Amino acid sequence: EKAGFDHFMLKEIHDQPKAYRDTMLGRISDDGRSVDLPELNITPEQLKGINRVHIVACGTALHAGLVGKSVIESLVRIPVETDVASEYRYRSPIITKDTLVIVVSQSGETADTLAALREAQRCGARVLAITNVVGSSVAREADDVIITLAGPEIAVASTKAYSSQLIAFYLFGLYWARTIGAQDEATVAHILAAMQALPEQVERILSQSDTIKEVAESISHHSSLFFIGRGIDYAVAMEGSLKLKEISYIHSEAYAAGELKHGTLALIEEGTPVIALLTQEDLYEKMLSNIKETKARGAHVLGIMNEGHEEEIAKSVDRQFAIPRTLPLLTPALSVIPLQLISYYASLALGHDVDKPRNLAKSVTVE
Ligand code: M6R
């Protein structure tokens, strides 16, 4: 069952190259120039009529949705709001018939997400579900479904479901962008080529697990830490922070790096670990100044950045981990991997039940 791994979580982290390939399989044309999603019922005409998007989910699935927001806004140029499912349905969201509501759920059984889906449909919106389970409640009730092909996820901490949800967002974003003419064919082909390189790039990251294990073990001695990032890296920081809390029980916060100086810097003391994501080249220099702010208070910083920055970042951070180069929009599919491994090895070092963390269930079927 665990295919030789000590825990389901570790197996599922290692399943990710296959999960990416399977989720892309048959959805990219043979010439690599277009996305085909024959499972969608929504017609090109209907898609052209959509003028706003709400992405609604819980926990890790919501974090995938935060990346999804950037994907849709940058490729399709339509405004996207994201919301926690348990908040969404009680705040009278402004939903019109031209709103597309996207619900994201690994299990397809999360009660809050299902209730949000029903509320959206009641208000006249069309609902697209991104889910890992064929025949789940969410899959049955949504108007359109994109199945992620991550395979069964057993560990309570979600890993391959999250990253496959990212792949689903990329595919849908590209399909939609082409349908309404928001991107040209060459741009789409370029992004698809980069996506097809992701599985092998994930394998390269996984082959460096030992380096990450050491970082995780040193972090496990601390009671609190920070994940910081800007833009899409901030969304990934939130996922890294949730994963660590969930299975290692170490307190952490994810912060938009530019926001630290508005209060939270006060919590950084001598030795506080900070995990800084710097995969967005246009925000790289800004991130370096934010790192400097934390170092000035004694932070011990791990920088996660693109390959090529190794030498020059060494003077700004205490440790570093480089991820293979990809397009800026695709970095979450790589940068989340070291964060998953950090939480796994920290939990392991602390002797916790990695696959079944305390107080949590795999599928939350109560509201
Ligand atoms: O099955 P779902 O994707 O709807 O589950 C949503 C959350 O309960 C889930 O992602 C939770 O946050 C994970 N245990 C996080 O690892």
Side-chain angles (χ1 to χ4, degrees):
E1 279 273 301
K2 292 181 200 153
F5 290 97
D6 291 342
H7 297 95
F8 281 110
M9 183 181 177
L10 191 60
K11 171 191 176 283
E12 289 162 6
I13 290 173
H14 282 263
D15 280 346
Q16 288 174 114
K18 180 173 181 337
Y20 287 15
R21 286 189 187 104
D22 290 350
T23 302
M24 287 188 270
L25 195 74
R27 289 170 168 163
I28 299 177
S29 64
D30 289 343
D31 64 2
R33 301 190 73 78
S34 63
V35 173
D36 193 18
L37 292 169
E39 60 267 62
L40 294 183
N41 300 315
I42 191 167
T43 63
E45 282 319 305
Q46 286 169 318
L47 210 44
K48 283 178 191 150
I50 300 292
N51 58 20
R52 73 166 94 192
V53 178
H54 293 170
I55 300 177
V56 188
C58 304
T60 285
L62 178 64
H63 294 158
L66 295 176
V67 176
K69 171 183 162 75
S70 294
V71 171
I72 293 172
E73 287 188 341
S74 69
L75 294 176
V76 191
R77 303 302 297 160
I78 283 182
V80 181
E81 269 180 62
T82 54
D83 209 350
V84 172
S86 55
E87 291 292 320
Y88 184 74
R89 60 177 296 223
Y90 297 110
R91 70 163 166 99
S92 313
I94 301 168
I95 301 173
T96 67
K97 60 170 184 19
D98 301 326
T99 307
L100 177 67
V101 176
I102 304 181
V103 296
V104 189
S105 174
Q106 185 284 128
S107 63
E109 300 299 344
T110 300
D112 286 319
T113 307
L114 190 58
L117 175 161
R118 290 175 179 158
E119 177 64 12
Q121 285 178 333
R122 197 185 62 79
C123 296
R126 221 187 147 93
V127 177
L128 163 71
I130 296 179
T131 178
N132 199 36
V133 182
V134 181
S136 60
S137 304
V138 162
R140 277 186 279 113
E141 295 194 26
D143 302 284
D144 293 281
V145 184
I146 298 179
I147 296 289
T148 48
L149 286 130
E153 193 182 61
I154 311 291
V156 168
S158 180
T159 53
K160 62 178 180 173
Y162 167 88
S163 51
S164 307
Q165 286 156 3
L166 302 184
I167 301 294
F169 272 114
Y170 296 137
L171 291 170
F172 180 62
L174 291 169
Y175 172 78
W176 191 356
R178 280 303 288 149
T179 305
I180 66 167
Q183 300 293 335
D184 58 28
E185 197 192 41
T187 306
V188 170
H190 182 59
I191 299 174
L192 287 173
M195 283 174 66
Q196 286 174 300
L198 290 171
E200 188 266 331
Q201 293 178 317
V202 172
E203 275 155 14
R204 273 171 55 205
I205 296 176
L206 292 173
S207 71
Q208 298 168 66
S209 294
D210 285 351
T211 318
I212 300 172
K213 188 172 179 211
E214 277 170 39
V215 175
E217 284 168 356
S218 72
I219 281 173
S220 69
H221 305 301
H222 291 265
S223 55
S224 184
L225 65 131
F226 283 89
F227 289 82
I228 60 171
R230 285 172 172 256
I232 217 169
D233 282 342
Y234 174 40
V236 179
M238 287 189 221
E239 174 55 9
S241 175
L242 171 63
K243 208 99 299 170
L244 187 73
K245 284 182 280 227
E246 184 176 17
I247 58 168
S248 76
Y249 319 145
I250 301 173
H251 173 253
S252 70
E253 285 206 39
Y255 242 76
E259 189 63 10
L260 277 177
K261 55 184 166 304
H262 298 285
T264 323
L265 259 183
L267 292 174
I268 295 189
E269 319 175 319
E270 197 55 47
T272 303
V274 170
I275 299 178
L277 290 128
L278 315 86
T279 70
Q280 304 300 297
E281 295 298 333
D282 56 336
L283 298 166
Y284 186 81
E285 292 299 324
K286 292 268 176 218
M287 275 303 298
L288 285 184
S289 12
N290 297 135
I291 288 175
K292 212 181 252 168
E293 292 163 358
T294 70
K295 296 273 313 156
R297 274 89 191 167
H300 193 268
V301 180
L302 165 71
I304 298 181
M305 74 305 167
N306 299 323
E307 274 174 356
H309 284 294
E310 290 88 339
E311 246 174 69
E312 139 276 309
I313 205 177
K315 44 188 187 304
S316 307
V317 299
D318 301 281
R319 293 179 195 238
Q320 52 171 282
F321 186 84
I323 59 163
R325 290 252 168 197
T326 184
L327 298 175
L329 211 50
L330 304 185
T331 58
L334 299 178
S335 60
V336 76
I337 313 286
L339 302 186
Q340 295 168 343
L341 289 167
I342 286 173
S343 64
Y344 173 77
Y345 285 117
S347 174
L348 197 66
L350 292 165
H352 298 316
D353 188 345
V354 176
D355 284 337
K356 286 202 181 68
R358 68 189 184 203
N359 307 341
L360 296 172
K362 180 64 183 162
S363 180
V364 186
T365 51
V366 288
E367 281 186 53

